[in-house]
Amino acid sequence: MGNCLQINSTDDISLLRGSESSNTHDFTSDRNVPAPIYSELLQPVFFPSPSTRRPASNLTEEEQVKIAKRIGLIQHLPIGTYDGSKKIRECVICMIDFCVDEAVRYLPCMHIYHVHCIDDWLMRSLTCPSCMEPVDAALLTTYETS
Amino acid sequence: MANMAVSRIKREFKEVMRSEEIVQCSIKIELINDSWTELRGEIAGPPDTPYEGGKFVLEIKVPETYPFNPPKVRFITKIWHPNISSVTGAICLDILKDNWAAAMTLRTVLLSLQALLAAAEPDDPQDAVVAYQYKDKYQLFLMTAKHWTNIYAGGPHKFTECDSKIQRLKDMGIDEHDARAVLSKENWDLEKATENLFS
Ligand SMILES: [Zn+2]
Ligand SMILES: [Zn+2]
């Protein structure tokens, strides 16, 4: 599984920033897909709740913990490669067609998205953008038992 | 502007242009600058509502973080509706706030706004005055909404009674829209409207 967050062992925010950039590096160099929008910013911006937007340096400790937990959750969602399935042709977030063998993330509802597209969305809202099914309930059980 | 926002809007634009609703002239969308950050939408008032026959123009601003955050939308055409400010055109609709999802598009937003015109939610108002009238004096609400649709959106229903009351206030030096707004708010009671204006 493409887990780039093995270093996620403390809740220091600098590690969060580091993990974001390792994400960016991973996707741009290995899979040749557009970099996530975070790469345009000097430092990552986080969304402690959907309507609050704040740079990493301005987060409270509580928010940092919440975000670290969320990144952990997201990283536990399986990643696969697109197999050319006829059912789902495009990533509804960027509206670009999947290419065969491209990395996609699977949600519990079996909807699939580009990894960088869905990860950006899940940082804001833990629901599937297509069917609105909450992602966290299904995840928390597997996350806590593993 | 972030690349994804622009490429999404370009794709959506094509999608809307091919949609059935465009063919039926029930929704419309156009660009107003080259950077794809600002668009103009238009929706037709749904049948069997006081907005029927009217065309309502919307301002659509696309944030840099689109589609992760919703577009900012407001009515440019003045409208009398419990969930839309009669002053600013601001809209109270969940999908434009916390219930936005990245899979929603400009087309679904326009269709949702059309649905909002057909099914107001007076218990979750944006304009308290309109919502109160909707709940308390529904017939007057219908007349006011049709009158505003006629004046601002090209709707078919003319109310000479409304026009003459507005004229009375205009004769006293009041701006036409201000006169209409006060009369609408005071349930078309000329005396109360005058009192409100001159007290
Ligand atoms: Zn995508
Ligand atoms: Zn889903």
Side-chain angles (χ1 to χ4, degrees):
Chain A
M1 214 191 282
N3 190 338
C4 341
L5 277 181
Q6 290 94 344
I7 47 162
N8 195 8
S9 52
T10 83
D11 54 3
D12 184 339
I13 200 68
S14 66
L15 281 179
L16 287 177
R17 198 178 303 153
S19 59
E20 271 299 323
S21 57
S22 77
N23 247 331
T24 310
H25 172 79
D26 186 24
F27 296 133
T28 43
S29 59
D30 301 350
R31 299 195 185 93
N32 197 27
V33 293
I37 52 170
Y38 287 143
S39 61
E40 295 184 4
L41 305 167
L42 292 175
Q43 57 177 340
V45 173
F46 289 112
F47 296 81
S49 71
S51 44
T52 343
R53 186 194 155 110
R54 228 173 295 161
S57 54
N58 290 0
L59 294 169
T60 66
E61 198 173 320
E62 195 187 327
E63 286 165 346
Q64 290 178 31
V65 171
K66 199 175 149 194
I67 284 161
K69 271 191 189 156
R70 183 169 288 207
I71 292 177
L73 275 173
I74 294 170
Q75 296 302 320
H76 271 74
L77 289 163
I79 292 180
T81 53
Y82 182 64
D83 58 2
S85 134
K86 330 85 227 158
K87 261 195 183 160
I88 304 182
R89 284 174 194 279
E90 67 164 26
C91 167
V92 297
I93 296 177
C94 61
M95 289 189 161
I96 294 173
D97 286 353
F98 293 117
C99 304
V100 176
D101 291 337
E102 200 168 13
V104 292
R105 203 185 279 288
Y106 286 81
L107 297 198
C109 53
M110 293 310 280
H111 280 121
I112 58 172
Y113 304 91
H114 290 124
V115 177
H116 59 277
C117 292
I118 193 63
D119 287 7
D120 267 2
W121 172 255
L122 293 173
M123 284 307 291
R124 292 162 166 88
S125 168
L126 279 176
T127 53
C128 171
S130 299
C131 65
M132 312 294 168
E133 198 170 300
V135 169
D136 49 346
L139 257 174
L140 272 170
T141 33
T142 44
Y143 184 52
E144 274 164 1
T145 51
S146 64
Chain B
M1 189 167 177
N3 279 335
M4 195 194 288
V6 174
S7 70
R8 257 278 305 238
I9 291 293
K10 286 182 178 168
R11 275 159 214 273
E12 285 191 39
F13 205 75
K14 280 191 202 147
E15 182 208 71
V16 178
M17 287 310 174
R18 281 196 310 260
S19 73
E20 227 175 275
E21 297 86 17
I22 287 275
V23 179
Q24 297 162 347
C25 300
S26 122
I27 64 173
K28 215 157 102 183
I29 197 158
E30 59 188 36
L31 281 176
I32 62 169
N33 66 18
D34 293 339
S35 65
W36 299 84
T37 55
E38 219 175 316
L39 300 98
R40 190 131 300 175
E42 193 184 287
I43 54 176
D48 304 316
T49 70
Y51 312 103
E52 182 170 11
K55 296 270 186 209
F56 298 88
V57 179
L58 299 148
E59 175 188 271
I60 304 170
K61 289 189 173 160
V62 182
E64 244 173 81
T65 49
Y66 188 79
F68 300 105
N69 291 101
K72 292 186 168 55
V73 186
R74 85 181 173 89
F75 276 79
I76 294 176
T77 306
K78 295 202 178 301
I79 183 167
W80 192 253
H81 184 288
N83 304 105
I84 302 156
S85 165
S86 60
V87 180
T88 63
I91 303 163
C92 177
L93 182 64
D94 57 353
I95 62 151
L96 293 176
K97 291 173 183 145
D98 289 344
N99 283 350
W100 169 255
M104 291 173 184
T105 62
L106 296 176
R107 178 174 162 269
T108 51
V109 166
L110 293 181
L111 294 177
S112 305
L113 287 171
Q114 224 169 16
L116 182 68
L117 296 192
E121 291 182 29
D123 290 323
D124 193 15
Q126 176 76 39
D127 194 308
V129 173
V130 184
Y132 184 73
Q133 191 183 65
Y134 183 98
K135 285 163 82 164
D136 196 47
K137 299 191 161 55
Y138 188 67
Q139 290 309 317
L140 268 182
F141 161 79
L142 286 178
M143 183 184 80
T144 311
K146 283 180 191 167
H147 170 70
W148 282 51
T149 304
N150 172 244
I151 299 294
Y152 299 114
H157 302 286
K158 248 185 125 44
F159 293 90
T160 44
E161 186 202 343
C162 298
D163 294 336
S164 62
K165 283 180 183 170
I166 290 166
Q167 189 56 49
R168 295 273 296 277
L169 291 180
K170 276 172 78 182
D171 292 344
M172 294 182 229
I174 306 294
D175 166 82
E176 177 176 327
H177 176 71
D178 293 345
R180 180 170 297 112
V182 171
L183 282 162
S184 300
K185 187 179 152 196
E186 298 293 353
N187 299 316
W188 299 93
D189 183 325
L190 191 56
E191 217 169 289
K192 275 196 182 155
T194 319
E195 219 171 87
N196 184 316
L197 282 164
F198 294 101
S199 61

